[in-house]
Amino acid sequence: MESITVPPTMANNNKDSKLHIAMFPWLAFGHMIPYLELAKLIAGKGHKISFISTPRNIYRLPPLPPNLSTLISFVKLPLPENPNLPEGAEATADLPEDQVPHLKIAYDSLQEPITQFLKTSKPDWLLFDFAPYWVPEIAQTLGIPTAFFSIMIAAVLSFLGPTSPGIPPDDRKLPEDYVVPPKWVPFSATVCLRLFEVLRLFKEITGDETNVSVVYRYMKILRGCDVIAVRSCAEFEPEWLGLLEVTHGKPVLPVGVLSTTPNTDEDDNETSRSIKDWLDRQSKNTVVYVAFGTEATPSQEEATEIALGLEKSGLPFFWVLRTKHGEEAVKLPEGFEERNEGRGVVCRSWAPQVKILAHDSVGVFLSHSGWSSVVEALTFGRPLVLLPMSNDQGLNARYFEEKKVGFELPRDEQDGSFTSEAVAESLRMVLEKEEGRVYRDRTKELKPLFGDRERQNVYVDKFLEYLTTHRGCRTT
């Protein structure tokens, strides 16, 4: 995929013409993929997209459908060299978690090239992520209207804090302040962090002398953007979407849940065929699917308890156990794979998650609570056992349990540890027992909402209608 510079003539204020939208996601595949899904839906309606990222990340994105290749241009901005980053590291998946701050510093060095691109291409709108807190000022100077596109649900965004002058400011300072719902939430809610999650995230919340905090980035972005776009829908979290408008005093536009488009090339993959053969041999609604996304990796202690819990459950399982670049692979209990041969599979490479979740044999999904994975699960009506590991996942888990689409695995409040017995019991409860029926029934009820692409696509239409109507509303 070649880098394409969009000529200035592409910018056009004629209300009847198509839009040119630039997109600038954070350098994590959990962010880039939803941005690309939205880009494909927008391009499918005839609008032009400039998708901005680094060369290696663009190379690793899924291929575009042929009918969209002329409408989506990939703009490659090389990352400046950083002595603290390994060679070739351009995404969070390339790094251990403790090195991700160095990637943010390198990303912050893209201010000049992004300014030059925006000056040259003059897009009608710029959609950006949480990380480039310096982008709103650049766009405002150039007279380009902006939308912060959040890949997180509105409940999580609301937890981060208000920016509207009419709302009392966030005065949380101690870890204990984050274990209750924020004071600006006017309705009954359970969305808050648990103590062990706060302690793990506290540096991200407060920042340090080398890097601004994640919360600071979000707040600057939320203050500086013209519009907040959210990967969500009004049927799933109406009260939180409404609260966002109040706490930030600007339009909040849901764009739908953006279910991942399956890659048809996966059917011809030998790995995919062998996985399907194994799933075909299992009974309907019996398999435990275990996966923790591209970013979350269980510790050695957690992996041991998960393995023993799967074994104790007596259920068939398919476990995707990958290792992030630069991290040591976790070891499974001695003899685990031999004892469970035939009943369970441990896959240490890529696996086609959408196709696995679509298979009738899958009965429950043990997940890290990442929104993309939950969207995929609910698209096929699969109930969840939730094991949040980092970032926004704990907040997600509280809301998903509140909505009765998943059961959160019981853990120690101080250190987040859990037992193999809790793993086994949680899986059996959600999959088989009467008290788990509420999760099984609720996910079946939501399947028509999450699985209906046309219904979700209406949100994209409304979003584009807003962008088209307001594209001339530039500040300079």
Side-chain angles (χ1 to χ4, degrees), residues 7 38 108-109 124 159 168 221 232 256 290 333 398 410-411 461 463:
L38 182 59
D108 289 342
S109 302
D124 295 302
F159 183 84
I221 289 286
S232 189
V290 186
R398 308 300 106 75
R411 300 167 82 167
D461 288 332
F463 180 57

Side-chain angles (χ1 to χ4, degrees), residues 152 186 294 447 475:
M152 303 191 307
T294 55
K447 182 179 177 181
T475 54

Side-chain angles (χ1 to χ4, degrees), residues 7 119 124 207 224 234 248 288 315 330 369 466:
K119 275 183 181 176
D124 295 302
H248 298 294
V288 177
L315 299 165
V330 296
S369 311
Y466 183 95

Side-chain angles (χ1 to χ4, degrees), residues 356-410:
I356 292 171
L357 287 168
H359 199 283
D360 284 346
S361 68
V362 174
V364 63
F365 181 12
L366 175 56
S367 166
H368 62 307
S369 311
W371 183 213
S372 289
S373 289
V374 172
V375 166
E376 290 167 357
L378 297 181
T379 297
F380 300 105
R382 308 297 178 209
L384 297 121
V385 171
L386 305 166
L387 182 60
M389 294 191 175
S390 62
N391 301 327
D392 60 327
Q393 295 158 17
L395 298 170
N396 285 345
R398 308 300 106 75
Y399 189 63
F400 299 151
E401 182 152 36
E402 197 178 298
K403 298 291 283 187
K404 299 299 180 188
V405 299
F407 173 75
E408 189 171 352
L409 190 77

